[in-house]
Each structure stands twice: as C-alpha cells, then as structure tokens.
Amino acid sequence: MEAKQPLQSESKEHYSAIVDQPKYQAIRVGNKTLFSRAVGQFFTPPTIATHLVNALVNLLPLKPISVVDPFAGDGRLIVALLQGLSNIGWEKLLRISLWERDSQVLKLARRNVRLFASSCGIPIILRTRVCDTFRVASTFAEEFDLVVTNPPWEILKPDRRELKHLTGSDRDLYLSKLKSEDEFISHQYPLSQPSRKFSGWGTNLSRVGTEAAMLLVRKEGICAVVSPLSLFADQVSENLRRTIVSNYELTDLAYFPAEGRFFKKVDQPSVTFVAKKRPPQRLCPVISVYNSSGELADARRVRLTRKMVKSTGYCLPLQLGAGGFEILSAFSNLPRLAELESNPDSLWAGRELDETDRHAFLTTRGRHPFLKGQMIQRFTIAEQPKLFIRANGPRIPPSASHSRLVWRDVARPNQARRMHATMIPASWVTGNSLNVAFFRDDDTTKLKALLAIMNSIAFEVQVRALLATAHVSLGAVRRVHIPELTNRNIVLSLSTWVDKCLSGDLRAGVHFEVAVAKAYGLAKPRFRELLTFFPLLPEPHTRHLLDSHLWNAKH
Ligand SMILES: C[S@@+](CC[C@H](N)C(=O)[O-])C[C@H]1O[C@@H](n2cnc3c(N)ncnc32)[C@H](O)[C@@H]1O
C-alpha cells in the first residue's frame, strides 16, 4: 500500500529544518530550543499509552490490519499496542507504518518495534518514513484500519523571548517560514484552525495532528489519540470537536491531571480518546479519570445527549469524570449567564485596560484607583489600590462609571476555589487580569444576587467543567447556567446575604451557598455530590454547608 507512494521530498527550507541549524540551536527559552518547539517531542508516558491501547484492542476486527503512528517518536505507542495485543492473544499480521520528522528518533522506533514484535511473536511488516506528516497525510487518506498517535504539542507562533536572540535576515527568514507553514496548514487542515487567532497566530499542532489522524483512518476504522485536555475544553476548537462528536463513535475518553506529572516536561492536563469512524448512533463513551498518583480513580460509561454536548460548544468536562456529566445535565434547563447580556438594558460583561505596561500609566495620585486580579478575593478587596490612572493616561472605559462585579481572570485548577468575585465602586478602573460586569440600569440588588451566584459552589462546578487551563475565560463563564433572576424575593434574599458576606460576616459565607443552591433548585443530596468536586475545601466548612437546619430554613 505505502510503497506505491513516491517519497515526498522534504524541503530543507521548512522552518524546523532551519531552526535545526547550529546558529539557532543555542536559542533556548526555559527547557525548549527553537527546534524542540518546532517538533513538540513529548513522549507518551506508560500509564497513558497502556490506557489508550487497552481501550482499543477489543474493538479491532480479528484479521490482518494496517496501523500507523504518523508522529511516531521512539515508537512507544506501537510497542504498547503490541503489548496490548499480545495480552489478548493476537496472532494476525500487523502492517505497521511509522512516520516521523526526526530521523534519529525514527531509527530508535524501528529497532524498538522490531525487537518487541519478535519477542511477543506477533507477525509484522514494518515500514518507516522520515517525513513531514502534515504534507504526506492527504496522500494516504482513509488507508489505515487503525491510527494511534500523540501529535506534537506546540502552537505555531513566534515567542518574543526567542526573537530577541535573532537579528536581521535570520529573524526575517524564521518569521517568514513560520508564517508560510501556518498558511499551508490552515489551508490544508481547516477543521483544526482556531476560531480566533491573536495577532495572526494560534495554529495548534496537536489539533492539526488530530485532524491528520482522523483523515488517515478508513471508514469503520479506529482512531486513538493522546492530546492536551484543552481539545475538549477550550473556546477555539469547537469545529474540530463538533466533527469528532458528529462523525465518529467515541468509545473511550480518559483524563490525566497535570499534577500527576505524567509527562516530564508538560505542566498541563492530558486526555486520550478512542473513536470509530462511522456516524454515531449513540454517544455512550466510557469516561476514565486518573488521579495525581497515576491510579485509575473512576471509570464509568455515560450516556450523553447531542443537545447537551452542543450546548456546551462540544466541551466535555472530562476532568470531573462521569459524575460531572450527570451534574451538568442537572443544570441544563436553566438559562445561561450569556442570556442576561442579550437585551439592551441588561448585563454588560468584559474587560477594561490592558495591564501589561501598566507602570507607564499609573501614578500615586488621581481620580481613578487601579485594581488588578491579585488584589481581590471572594467578597473582598484584599489589597486596597494605592495607584491611580495618570491624567494623561489611557481613556477611562465607559464601564468605570458603574458600580460593578469583578472576578479574577486567572486561578489555577488546583486551588480550593477558582471563582474569586467581589464588588467595586464606580470610578475604579481594572486591568485585564479582572473581568467586570454590571447591569446597565445599575440595579445593585440584582448585581449582588449575581455576585452570590458567581461565588457559589453550584456556579463554580460548572466553570470547572468548562475550563482546561488556569484562565477563567469569559467565554466559559458565559456558558454557565444560572437561576432565573425574575423572582424578586430570591434576588433580595441573595443580595442580603451578599451584603453580610461583604461586611465580613463568616456565617453568611455558609448561608449564601445554601440559598444559591436552593435558587438553582438543588436538593441537599445533589449538593452533597457537588461538594465531592471540591476536595480542598476544609472539612468544617463542608460539614456546615450540609447542616440540616440551613436546608430546612426558608431563605
Ligand atoms: C508528542 S511526540 C509523540 C511521539 C510518540 N508517538 C509518543 O507517543 O511518545 C510527537 C512526535 O512527532 C514528531 N513530529 C513533529 N512534527 C512532525 C511532523 N510534521 N511530521 C512528522 N513527525 C513530526 C516529533 O519529532 C515527535 O517525535
């Protein structure tokens, strides 16, 4: 099959070939060189590889099959596959193709795969190819029964810290090659293009590699991929997710937390998915969750509805496991925060000043105090502003004439709480490490009720389900379901609790949670389930939250 294809000649002019030249090799940011960034060589750790192959071996037809790892590295996914097949007593022929840009590493892959196949007695025909898979894949569309891979984890974009080491023509050459690579990829792999690019950059090679893998697999074949969790959670990959969910039968999804340090040099959560290429009748994958010690903590089949998945922009809350899907469906009939923005006298949400070069526009006196993310906590201004916007500084945004709700734009996933929201008065101005929101009619009672909701467990569990990184993006927050704010009694009650929270009344911090849970229509058993997603909350606090007299009281 493969032999009929002429070997695609690799242009020495490709940007990864350019940055492999000695003069570029010394440029290093953190532990990465320009070359290692170009090829994204992060090899799959054993726990992830084993999970992936175990999830697919029983789906294979009992006949000779063709398999490719189009980003083969040292061949470890194919070695894991041979191990998994040997465990189930596989004896059929495997036609294996290994594609890889780095010839040295491919030599290793060839040796590893040959040795392992002969030690477990599985007959193989092995073909290896030094190539750029992004250029070769279309020639092999729908040729393989099985594609198993972990594409490079890199974003195509120049890094300012790298660029400062490059001068004149070297810099121009690097930038122009990077740009033409981006143009080639966006033309050839449109599904995996991000829905938004910043300054023209943002192509994620892991998404592109996933699209290439899906292209290579034949109808009724199996595609098995390792990816950053963000594939199923970010705000820019909806197209690719929709294609996967609509055209493939997802059979297995697994989540590996960043704290597990599964990959040596990667500090982000990862996932695997296994999918059969055929229009799905049902959406019933097994969802597995590994804990930070690398153990399987939960594995259950879930039944998803297309409506639910579509309503989250095809985001799948894998980090919450099967229970997370059940929880989310409990909220699905309520309105979303975004709906508050849809009529003209309603909510405005956004960000104010870019704070990157804030020292240029801040001074010690002025009319507009300046606030950034680290200065707030839940219901508190933890650090009063001491700096002000210069009189000749940036234009004061119109939103600053309203008293408003603010929340931090960044909060790491391993914190006990990720939503940190409070109120600020009109005239203060915020940097873009804060998001702000206000009702155009300046209804502060309603705004405080919204603050109660946003700082609640019920809101945050949904935010967690929609986020893959430390960035608490406005796009994700807009998708969160909230209780109807039309019942004035509920709004008044929540706003009264917020007044108490803002004045530092600790008891109110428990009461408002139960009041919000009731506004969401949650009963105590469901709320108890929500608390299981907050393992870092101190035990006395969770005990108080479940206190019967709070649940029996009228709020
Ligand atoms: C994330 S590693 C995965 C390697 C291996 N499959 C594993 O699971 O450990 C991605 C591999 O793809 C290779 N690679 C990067 N860009 C490539 C391209 N355009 N064509 C072929 N291989 C590429 C890298 O050299 C690297 O070995």
Side-chain angles (χ1 to χ4, degrees), residues 271-443:
V271 292
T272 57
F273 75 83
V274 176
K276 194 158 200 178
K277 191 170 191 170
R278 67 177 179 203
Q281 303 296 314
R282 311 166 292 146
L283 209 51
C284 296
V286 172
I287 312 270
S288 302
V289 174
Y290 283 77
N291 62 23
S292 48
S293 315
E295 294 148 356
L296 182 61
D298 186 34
R300 264 186 294 155
R301 190 174 291 285
V302 291
R303 182 177 290 273
L304 308 175
T305 63
R306 191 163 300 279
K307 182 174 162 226
M308 178 200 150
V309 181
K310 190 173 170 196
S311 77
T312 60
Y314 297 88
C315 290
L316 303 178
L318 300 174
Q319 61 278 41
L320 300 186
F325 286 86
E326 287 152 14
I327 295 281
L328 284 197
S329 59
F331 294 106
S332 61
N333 289 328
L334 293 170
R336 292 173 186 284
L337 184 86
E339 289 168 41
L340 291 180
E341 295 173 281
S342 54
N343 63 61
D345 62 345
S346 193
L347 191 78
W348 183 90
R351 288 192 289 176
E352 296 180 339
L353 296 185
D354 182 347
E355 65 187 45
T356 325
D357 296 320
R358 61 189 174 281
H359 297 295
F361 63 75
L362 292 179
T363 180
T364 50
R365 279 164 205 272
R367 290 177 47 217
H368 296 285
F370 175 76
L371 193 74
K372 62 192 179 82
Q374 286 159 342
M375 297 162 76
I376 72 154
Q377 282 171 6
R378 298 172 71 241
F379 297 118
T380 322
I381 304 295
E383 184 188 330
Q384 289 295 325
K386 294 189 194 69
L387 296 172
F388 300 78
I389 310 292
R390 269 182 201 286
N392 59 354
R395 190 178 74 97
I396 301 302
S399 49
S401 59
H402 300 263
S403 149
R404 51 217 191 284
L405 193 166
V406 293
W407 69 94
R408 281 194 198 169
D409 193 53
V410 170
R412 291 189 65 78
N414 57 3
Q415 290 179 338
R417 305 290 293 239
R418 296 191 67 187
M419 283 303 299
H420 290 270
T422 191
M423 299 277 288
I424 61 167
S427 88
W428 289 25
V429 176
T430 61
N432 55 357
S433 53
L434 285 167
N435 294 280
V436 311
F438 61 90
F439 286 103
R440 289 184 170 90
D441 60 3
D442 285 324
D443 182 341

Side-chain angles (χ1 to χ4, degrees), residues 39-44 69 71-73 76 100-101 132-133 150:
V39 293
Q41 261 177 7
F42 298 110
F43 295 150
T44 309
D69 182 345
F71 305 96
R76 61 181 62 202
E100 168 60 52
R101 172 182 276 304
D132 175 356
T133 294
N150 178 1

Side-chain angles (χ1 to χ4, degrees), residues 200 368 518 548:
H368 296 285
K518 288 180 178 175
S548 295

Side-chain angles (χ1 to χ4, degrees), residues 58-293:
N58 290 314
L59 302 174
L60 297 173
L62 274 181
K63 59 175 196 184
I65 58 165
S66 55
V67 48
V68 62
D69 182 345
F71 305 96
D74 62 2
R76 61 181 62 202
L77 284 181
I78 298 297
V79 169
L81 175 69
L82 288 163
Q83 177 71 70
L85 289 173
S86 152
N87 294 346
I88 61 162
W90 180 276
E91 290 173 342
K92 306 286 180 198
L93 177 70
L94 279 191
R95 278 189 220 92
I96 299 173
S97 297
L98 299 174
W99 299 350
E100 168 60 52
R101 172 182 276 304
D102 180 339
S103 59
Q104 291 309 312
V105 107
L106 188 62
K107 264 191 211 148
L108 205 60
R110 189 182 304 126
R111 214 188 55 198
N112 291 342
V113 169
R114 274 206 197 294
L115 273 175
F116 201 83
S118 78
S119 76
C120 64
I122 294 183
I124 64 165
I125 296 173
L126 179 62
R127 293 202 174 97
T128 57
R129 173 175 289 226
V130 177
C131 65
D132 175 356
T133 294
F134 297 130
R135 284 172 171 72
V136 165
S138 61
T139 330
F140 292 91
E142 305 213 328
E143 293 253 352
F144 294 92
D145 299 307
L146 172 63
V147 181
V148 52
T149 198
N150 178 1
W153 291 31
E154 285 300 337
I155 311 261
L156 275 188
K157 67 166 190 229
D159 183 315
R160 263 200 304 187
R161 293 164 302 173
E162 290 164 354
L163 287 182
K164 71 175 190 245
H165 296 284
L166 291 170
T167 48
S169 59
D170 289 346
R171 180 186 161 112
D172 293 347
L173 181 64
Y174 172 59
L175 283 175
S176 80
K177 291 299 164 193
L178 207 55
K179 194 50 146 180
S180 60
E181 180 66 2
D182 193 69
E183 281 163 8
F184 163 78
I185 285 184
S186 39
H187 181 253
Q188 198 80 5
Y189 298 93
L191 287 176
S192 48
Q193 276 299 292
S195 54
R196 278 191 315 277
K197 284 188 165 176
F198 298 97
S199 315
W201 300 103
T203 295
N204 184 324
L205 295 184
S206 165
R207 307 288 190 275
V208 183
T210 302
E211 185 178 348
M214 289 158 52
L215 175 74
L216 291 168
V217 71
R218 74 164 86 253
K219 288 198 182 70
E220 299 288 326
I222 307 287
C223 192
V225 177
V226 183
S227 163
L229 169 70
S230 52
L231 165 61
F232 288 110
D234 70 13
Q235 302 298 309
V236 293
S237 306
E238 184 170 340
N239 257 343
L240 187 61
R241 288 195 292 268
R242 186 189 316 109
T243 309
I244 298 175
V245 169
S246 313
N247 302 321
Y248 291 74
E249 191 174 292
L250 274 171
T251 59
D252 190 275
L253 289 152
Y255 165 70
F256 305 86
E259 305 80 65
R261 290 261 159 215
F262 293 91
F263 288 89
K264 275 201 201 92
K265 294 187 208 152
V266 179
D267 184 25
Q268 56 171 314
S270 44
V271 292
T272 57
F273 75 83
V274 176
K276 194 158 200 178
K277 191 170 191 170
R278 67 177 179 203
Q281 303 296 314
R282 311 166 292 146
L283 209 51
C284 296
V286 172
I287 312 270
S288 302
V289 174
Y290 283 77
N291 62 23
S292 48
S293 315

Side-chain angles (χ1 to χ4, degrees), residues 445-458:
T445 311
K446 204 151 96 173
L447 195 62
K448 285 179 187 168
L450 186 59
L451 172 59
I453 291 165
M454 290 183 77
N455 270 338
S456 74
I457 298 260

